[in-house]
Amino acid sequence: MEKRIITISREFGSGGRFIGEEVAKKLGISYYDKDIIGQIAEQSGFSPEYIRENAELSPKKGLFAYAFSGRDITGKSVEDMVYEAQRNVILKIAEKESCVVIGRNADFILKDREDVLNVFIHGDMPEKVQRICKLYNVAEADVAKMITETDKRRRTNYNFYTDQKWGMAKNYTLCLNSSQLGYERCEEIIMECVK
């Protein structure tokens, strides 16, 4: 296999992270998700905890507040600086090796490369709720709100930095419903596309 980069954007609870990790293992390529946080922190000068909370998700406020919050004299916000560091780290990783990158607007950051497969994983709400309940040991009554809030923050961050719509099929090479296809079939389809 020649060098390939797979980006996986996903709805919260759809299993996109798990699918990406399995694809990376089966293809024998690097996997980048939360482990990229240390590199972004180092490049930006912010703490790993701050990056973990803010590099992929917008603050818990609307798009208007996000666009105008905390800008310095150059017009950059702290979120802009974090995004720029994240962008630089992802570009360096893609230059270096075949890999799977989870989230972090990687599909948009790497859009000009020929060797990238952009995937969006989504799922049906009942399956996502069950998955989140098991993974995070959360009461079912709280899960729908958790899913909606997390996806809203991902959408706001993505839409703000990419001028595209998060989850819109035309932004991705593949859009897969993990609830209908199952994780294993999603993995097979992704791997078929990069061979």
Side-chain angles (χ1 to χ4, degrees):
M1 180 182 83
E2 60 189 63
K3 186 167 84 164
R4 289 300 298 216
I5 295 119
I6 301 165
T7 71
I8 297 187
S9 302
R10 75 278 181 231
E11 290 179 343
F12 187 55
S14 67
R17 176 176 287 132
F18 174 80
I19 291 166
E21 190 171 15
E22 288 301 305
V23 165
K25 279 182 198 168
K26 289 174 181 174
L27 291 176
I29 61 178
S30 297
Y31 171 78
Y32 291 98
D33 183 17
K34 293 182 178 171
D35 50 352
I36 204 172
I37 289 170
Q39 295 176 55
I40 297 167
E42 191 175 305
Q43 171 128 8
S44 67
F46 293 103
S47 72
E49 294 74 27
Y50 185 85
I51 301 300
R52 189 173 295 108
E53 180 62 26
N54 295 286
E56 187 179 23
L57 304 173
S58 73
K60 293 181 182 178
K61 40 190 166 178
L63 182 58
F64 184 77
Y66 189 42
F68 293 103
S69 69
R71 302 207 171 267
D72 68 12
I73 197 155
T74 67
K76 282 190 175 185
S77 69
V78 171
E79 286 86 4
D80 294 342
M81 291 180 242
V82 169
Y83 180 78
E84 192 57 35
Q86 174 176 280
R87 183 179 174 283
N88 291 337
V89 167
I90 290 170
L91 288 169
K92 283 179 189 166
I93 288 168
E95 235 2 87
K96 184 176 70 167
E97 63 187 334
S98 290
C99 60
V100 173
V101 181
I102 302 296
R104 306 189 187 289
N105 302 343
D107 62 293
F108 180 78
I109 291 167
L110 302 174
K111 70 181 175 10
D112 296 327
R113 294 183 63 100
E114 298 284 325
D115 56 356
V116 176
L117 176 73
N118 294 317
V119 181
F120 187 82
I121 307 285
H122 59 103
D124 300 337
M125 190 57 96
E127 284 82 6
K128 292 191 298 185
V129 166
Q130 290 307 309
R131 179 173 169 73
I132 296 301
C133 284
K134 286 179 192 166
L135 277 176
Y136 297 98
N137 198 21
V138 182
E140 196 169 316
D142 302 326
V143 174
K145 183 180 178 196
M146 229 173 121
I147 291 171
T148 302
E149 179 68 27
T150 302
D151 284 347
K152 179 182 176 186
R153 292 176 69 196
R154 284 180 179 163
R155 181 180 304 106
T156 299
N157 177 283
Y158 185 88
N159 294 358
F160 183 79
Y161 283 107
T162 69
D163 287 326
Q164 297 184 150
K165 298 270 186 235
W166 181 78
M168 178 88 56
K170 69 178 185 175
N171 298 334
Y172 310 95
T173 317
L174 282 175
C175 290
L176 303 171
N177 185 324
S178 61
S179 299
Q180 294 178 18
L181 294 169
Y183 292 178
E184 200 169 299
R185 185 64 186 132
C186 287
E187 293 161 23
E188 289 168 0
I189 291 168
I190 293 167
M191 290 187 295
E192 284 167 19
C193 289
V194 295
K195 289 183 179 173

